[in-house]
Amino acid sequence: MAAQASLPALIRKKRDGERLEEEEIRSFVRGVTEGTAQQGQIGAMLMAIRLRGMDAAETLALTRAMAASGRALAWPPAWRGLLVDKHSTGGVGDKVSLALAPALAACGCKVPMISGRGLAHTGGTLDKLEAIPGFRVTQSPEQMQSILERVGCCIVGQSEELAPADRVLYGLRDVTATVDSLPLITASILSKKAAEQLWALVLDVKFGSAALYPTQESARELAQSLVAVGERLGIRTAAVLSRMDEPLGRCVGNSLEVLEALECLGGGGPPDLRELVTTLGGVLLWQCGLAGAAEQGQERLGRALDDGSALRTFEAMLGAQGVPPDTAHRLCAGTPAQRRQVLGQARVCEELPAPSAGWVQQVQALPLARVLHELGAGRARAGDPVNPHVGAELLVAVGQHLREGEPWLRVHHDGGLGAGGRRALQTALRLATGPPRAPPPRLAEAILPPGAPALAGFAPGRGDGQ
């Protein structure tokens, strides 16, 4: 009861711009976890944090308290130095985890990847995997260890035992307009990673019109916070800033993204998807000592995609997480038609024509995602069902010339696309009268801990905010 009685004083203290001591933060998190804090009190504290902020020490204390609110995963001592994970702040067409986890495992890492579901216009890794018949995202810590021993990677949902305080706070942030709070985002992401007992973590922090953060500057601020706190937690942490104005790859929608991830796992697929997979994986291989530099790690990841070992590992992971072996094999070794048969298809597949002639300047991700969301590809609130077959395929690339009436988008749906939806989709296609300038690179910046060598191909960035 003492924690409950002190909560108004703690809320008042943060409301007035004062910093909270570590024990005060632990007291608040205990109240959240044990249920002694009322929802109104939790919401008031979240808003006070959102408006007044937290310094680095407070954010670290909040992250540690949230990680300690539940069970920490335990791994064999021999795996020390090999346990890695990746986190993305969410985007459109982002199927990186599906290819990255098995590719890392094929290179010798242990990857206990804990992922989330889609909300609003962004897709979720778990929803994509559940488009595969039989795939089970719910695995106990003991089952996770067994899968890692046999396969090297698993992709699962957050266990109720893992960082339970985060589940409460995450749900309330959405309804209290505090989703974009820097310390709350940092603590939410890293508390789960700390409970995973990771050795190394790479973060894909997206910015742009279809991302949580619209500008590179705001994304950099989050990345610096994540890297600084991750390092203080004892996790080797790095972040990559990537643009999210256009979809990643050519496909958006759960089952279509699985098909595209399979292309990448087989050494093909869109170049921008492969670049992001190998870049993030290369950083992790370097962080855990399996490559002398991030560039060498990138090459090793590429070989795992090209030689079939990543695809074989993905097939083994599917089998270990409930997919019947013949289904997993047809999906991974089958023809494109056999793969589509395994996943199923939408009832309607229609192509949209270019409204006029011109050069493709951009295909905006947000209008596509919003229409597909309305057609059933996403959810408005946690627990809503999703239609795995709804999606879209881009038939054009930036810099390509289109004739009037030439198809530029293939939409998969179950009959719900009306004239308004078609008009909205057409707004995503930006045409110019002449060839556009070369677009900026999708990977914009790397944020590394102080003292780490710069990564080739990136503007230098540091995790200490300097």
Side-chain angles (χ1 to χ4, degrees), residues 85-88 94-98 101 111-118 123-129 135 137-138 144 154-159 162 166 170 192-193 196 317 321:
D85 198 358
K86 160 261 180 189
H87 179 85
S88 168
D94 185 356
K95 68 281 294 179
V96 166
S97 292
L98 276 64
V111 192
M113 189 172 281
I114 297 176
S115 295
R117 300 192 178 278
T125 297
L126 301 184
D127 299 319
K128 303 181 208 304
L129 287 167
F135 193 92
V137 301
T138 302
M144 289 175 65
C154 61
I155 303 179
V156 303
Q158 183 180 349
S159 161
L162 204 68
D166 177 61
Y170 191 90
K192 296 187 285 286
K193 302 307 178 185
E196 282 182 62
M317 184 186 80
Q321 292 193 233

Side-chain angles (χ1 to χ4, degrees), residues 161-178:
E161 304 167 83
L162 204 68
D166 177 61
R167 276 200 319 282
V168 177
L169 297 179
Y170 191 90
L172 285 174
R173 281 166 55 208
D174 192 44
V175 298
T176 55
T178 56

Side-chain angles (χ1 to χ4, degrees), residues 81 83-86 198-202 235-237 284 287-288:
L83 287 152
V84 303
D85 198 358
K86 160 261 180 189
L198 296 176
W199 178 260
L201 172 67
V202 68
I235 304 170
R236 296 186 175 186
T237 309
L284 284 172
Q287 286 174 309
C288 63

